[in-house]
Amino acid sequence: MKLNYKFLLMTLLTLCMMGAYSCGGGDDIPEPEPEPIPDPDKVILNTQSLTFEATESSSTLTISANKAWTATSNQTWCTLSKESGIGGSETITINVAANPNETERTATITVKAGTASATATVKQAKKESQQGGGDSGEVGANGGNIEDMENKKW
Protein backbone atom coordinates (compact mmCIF):
# COMPACT_ATOMS: atom_id res chain seq x y z
CA MET A 1 0.00 0.00 0.00
CA LYS A 2 2.94 2.24 0.59
CA LEU A 3 3.68 2.23 -3.06
CA ASN A 4 0.21 3.33 -3.98
CA TYR A 5 0.32 6.12 -1.40
CA LYS A 6 3.59 7.49 -2.86
CA PHE A 7 2.27 7.16 -6.40
CA LEU A 8 -0.97 8.91 -5.46
CA LEU A 9 0.93 11.66 -3.65
CA MET A 10 3.27 12.22 -6.62
CA THR A 11 0.39 12.29 -9.06
CA LEU A 12 -1.54 14.74 -6.90
CA LEU A 13 1.53 16.97 -6.47
CA THR A 14 2.19 16.93 -10.24
CA LEU A 15 -1.44 17.86 -10.99
CA CYS A 16 -1.31 20.74 -8.49
CA MET A 17 1.88 22.12 -10.03
CA MET A 18 0.45 21.86 -13.54
CA GLY A 19 -2.70 23.62 -12.42
CA ALA A 20 -0.77 26.41 -10.74
CA TYR A 21 1.41 26.90 -13.80
CA SER A 22 -1.54 26.95 -16.21
CA CYS A 23 -3.34 29.59 -14.11
CA GLY A 24 -0.46 32.04 -14.57
CA GLY A 25 -0.88 35.63 -15.80
CA GLY A 26 -1.43 34.66 -19.42
CA ASP A 27 1.39 36.97 -20.49
CA ASP A 28 2.32 34.60 -23.27
CA ILE A 29 -0.73 35.54 -25.35
CA PRO A 30 -0.25 38.96 -26.99
CA GLU A 31 -3.11 41.46 -26.98
CA PRO A 32 -4.38 42.39 -30.45
CA GLU A 33 -3.12 45.78 -31.72
CA PRO A 34 -5.84 48.45 -31.85
CA GLU A 35 -6.70 49.84 -35.28
CA PRO A 36 -4.97 53.22 -35.78
CA ILE A 37 -7.32 56.20 -35.91
CA PRO A 38 -6.47 58.30 -38.96
CA ASP A 39 -5.75 61.98 -38.39
CA PRO A 40 -8.54 64.20 -39.66
CA ASP A 41 -7.60 66.42 -42.60
CA LYS A 42 -6.27 69.81 -41.41
CA VAL A 43 -5.31 73.07 -43.07
CA ILE A 44 -4.42 76.22 -41.12
CA LEU A 45 -3.53 79.69 -42.44
CA ASN A 46 -1.44 82.14 -40.40
CA THR A 47 -4.00 84.88 -41.14
CA GLN A 48 -7.56 85.10 -42.43
CA SER A 49 -7.24 88.63 -43.78
CA LEU A 50 -4.69 90.52 -45.89
CA THR A 51 -4.97 94.26 -46.63
CA PHE A 52 -3.14 96.08 -49.43
CA GLU A 53 -2.78 99.68 -50.61
CA ALA A 54 -4.06 100.54 -54.10
CA THR A 55 -0.59 100.14 -55.63
CA GLU A 56 0.87 96.90 -56.96
CA SER A 57 2.27 94.99 -53.99
CA SER A 58 2.71 91.61 -52.33
CA SER A 59 2.58 89.89 -48.96
CA THR A 60 3.04 86.36 -47.64
CA LEU A 61 0.64 83.67 -46.41
CA THR A 62 1.79 80.61 -44.44
CA ILE A 63 -0.10 77.37 -45.04
CA SER A 64 0.12 74.46 -42.58
CA ALA A 65 -1.51 71.20 -43.69
CA ASN A 66 -1.21 67.53 -42.77
CA LYS A 67 -1.44 66.41 -46.40
CA ALA A 68 -1.09 67.75 -49.95
CA TRP A 69 -2.90 71.07 -50.53
CA THR A 70 -4.11 73.32 -53.36
CA ALA A 71 -4.70 77.07 -53.28
CA THR A 72 -6.78 79.29 -55.57
CA SER A 73 -7.72 82.95 -55.89
CA ASN A 74 -11.14 83.92 -57.20
CA GLN A 75 -9.85 87.15 -58.81
CA THR A 76 -7.36 87.58 -61.67
CA TRP A 77 -5.79 90.68 -60.10
CA CYS A 78 -4.79 88.59 -57.04
CA THR A 79 -2.27 85.85 -57.88
CA LEU A 80 -0.38 83.24 -55.88
CA SER A 81 3.31 82.36 -56.20
CA LYS A 82 2.44 78.69 -55.69
CA GLU A 83 -0.88 76.88 -56.08
CA SER A 84 -0.09 73.47 -54.56
CA GLY A 85 2.22 71.82 -52.08
CA ILE A 86 2.81 68.80 -49.88
CA GLY A 87 1.92 68.51 -46.22
CA GLY A 88 3.79 70.54 -43.65
CA SER A 89 4.25 74.29 -43.40
CA GLU A 90 4.96 76.44 -46.44
CA THR A 91 4.91 80.19 -47.12
CA ILE A 92 3.56 81.51 -50.43
CA THR A 93 3.49 85.05 -51.84
CA ILE A 94 0.23 86.84 -52.62
CA ASN A 95 0.62 89.41 -55.43
CA VAL A 96 -1.95 92.10 -56.21
CA ALA A 97 -2.00 94.31 -59.29
CA ALA A 98 -2.56 98.06 -58.89
CA ASN A 99 -6.21 98.90 -58.34
CA PRO A 100 -7.36 101.20 -61.19
CA ASN A 101 -10.83 101.65 -59.66
CA GLU A 102 -12.07 104.25 -57.24
CA THR A 103 -13.67 101.49 -55.16
CA GLU A 104 -12.13 98.99 -52.77
CA ARG A 105 -11.96 95.44 -54.11
CA THR A 106 -11.92 92.02 -52.47
CA ALA A 107 -10.62 88.57 -53.38
CA THR A 108 -10.85 85.22 -51.59
CA ILE A 109 -7.99 82.74 -51.37
CA THR A 110 -9.16 79.16 -50.72
CA VAL A 111 -6.76 76.46 -49.56
CA LYS A 112 -7.90 72.80 -49.55
CA ALA A 113 -6.18 69.74 -48.06
CA GLY A 114 -8.23 66.56 -48.42
CA THR A 115 -11.67 67.31 -46.99
CA ALA A 116 -10.46 70.36 -45.01
CA SER A 117 -10.41 73.93 -46.32
CA ALA A 118 -9.53 77.42 -45.09
CA THR A 119 -9.98 80.88 -46.60
CA ALA A 120 -8.24 84.23 -46.41
CA THR A 121 -9.83 87.48 -47.56
CA VAL A 122 -7.71 89.92 -49.57
CA LYS A 123 -8.79 93.57 -49.50
CA GLN A 124 -7.21 96.24 -51.67
CA ALA A 125 -7.77 99.95 -51.16
CA LYS A 126 -9.35 102.08 -53.85
CA LYS A 127 -7.36 104.28 -56.21
CA GLU A 128 -7.17 107.84 -54.94
CA SER A 129 -9.32 110.15 -57.05
CA GLN A 130 -7.73 113.09 -58.87
CA GLN A 131 -9.43 116.33 -57.88
CA GLY A 132 -8.36 119.65 -59.37
CA GLY A 133 -4.78 120.94 -59.39
CA GLY A 134 -2.15 119.00 -61.27
CA ASP A 135 -1.82 120.09 -64.91
CA SER A 136 -5.56 120.34 -65.54
CA GLY A 137 -5.37 124.11 -66.05
CA GLU A 138 -8.43 124.56 -63.84
CA VAL A 139 -8.49 127.26 -61.20
CA GLY A 140 -10.64 126.62 -58.15
CA ALA A 141 -12.60 129.17 -56.11
CA ASN A 142 -9.55 129.82 -53.92
CA GLY A 143 -7.26 130.47 -56.86
CA GLY A 144 -4.74 128.19 -58.47
CA ASN A 145 -1.13 127.81 -59.37
CA ILE A 146 -0.14 129.52 -62.63
CA GLU A 147 2.76 127.05 -63.06
CA ASP A 148 0.20 124.32 -63.56
CA MET A 149 -1.02 126.02 -66.71
CA GLU A 150 2.34 126.82 -68.33
CA ASN A 151 2.27 123.95 -70.78
CA LYS A 152 -1.32 124.46 -71.94
CA LYS A 153 -2.01 125.62 -75.48
CA TRP A 154 -4.38 128.59 -75.66
Side-chain angles (χ1 to χ4, degrees), residues 30-65:
E31 296 269 339
E33 290 288 325
E35 291 291 320
I37 300 171
D39 287 337
D41 299 343
K42 291 181 189 174
V43 61
I44 300 169
L45 306 178
N46 69 321
T47 185
Q48 294 179 342
S49 179
L50 295 158
T51 304
F52 293 90
E53 296 296 322
T55 58
E56 179 180 335
S57 54
S58 63
S59 186
T60 59
L61 178 68
T62 301
I63 300 167
S64 298

Side-chain angles (χ1 to χ4, degrees), residues 7-110:
F7 178 72
L8 184 60
L9 187 58
M10 288 296 280
T11 305
L12 190 57
L13 187 59
T14 303
L15 288 174
C16 285
M17 299 227 357
M18 286 174 59
Y21 180 75
S22 67
C23 290
D27 295 335
D28 296 340
I29 302 171
E31 296 269 339
E33 290 288 325
E35 291 291 320
I37 300 171
D39 287 337
D41 299 343
K42 291 181 189 174
V43 61
I44 300 169
L45 306 178
N46 69 321
T47 185
Q48 294 179 342
S49 179
L50 295 158
T51 304
F52 293 90
E53 296 296 322
T55 58
E56 179 180 335
S57 54
S58 63
S59 186
T60 59
L61 178 68
T62 301
I63 300 167
S64 298
N66 64 346
K67 58 175 43 180
W69 56 267
T70 59
T72 58
S73 169
N74 69 342
Q75 299 294 324
T76 57
W77 54 265
C78 178
T79 60
L80 314 175
S81 64
K82 190 171 183 183
E83 294 181 343
S84 64
I86 60 174
S89 182
E90 191 163 351
T91 300
I92 64 171
T93 302
I94 311 300
N95 301 298
V96 295
N99 186 354
N101 306 313
E102 291 184 12
T103 57
E104 180 181 271
R105 60 185 181 178
T106 304
T108 301
I109 297 170
T110 304

Side-chain angles (χ1 to χ4, degrees), residues 85-144:
I86 60 174
S89 182
E90 191 163 351
T91 300
I92 64 171
T93 302
I94 311 300
N95 301 298
V96 295
N99 186 354
N101 306 313
E102 291 184 12
T103 57
E104 180 181 271
R105 60 185 181 178
T106 304
T108 301
I109 297 170
T110 304
V111 181
K112 293 181 181 181
T115 59
S117 68
T119 59
T121 302
V122 176
K123 291 185 180 183
Q124 188 176 28
K126 64 183 181 177
K127 172 185 163 185
E128 293 299 319
S129 62
Q130 301 291 323
Q131 295 182 3
D135 62 356
S136 67
E138 297 177 10
V139 178
N142 295 329

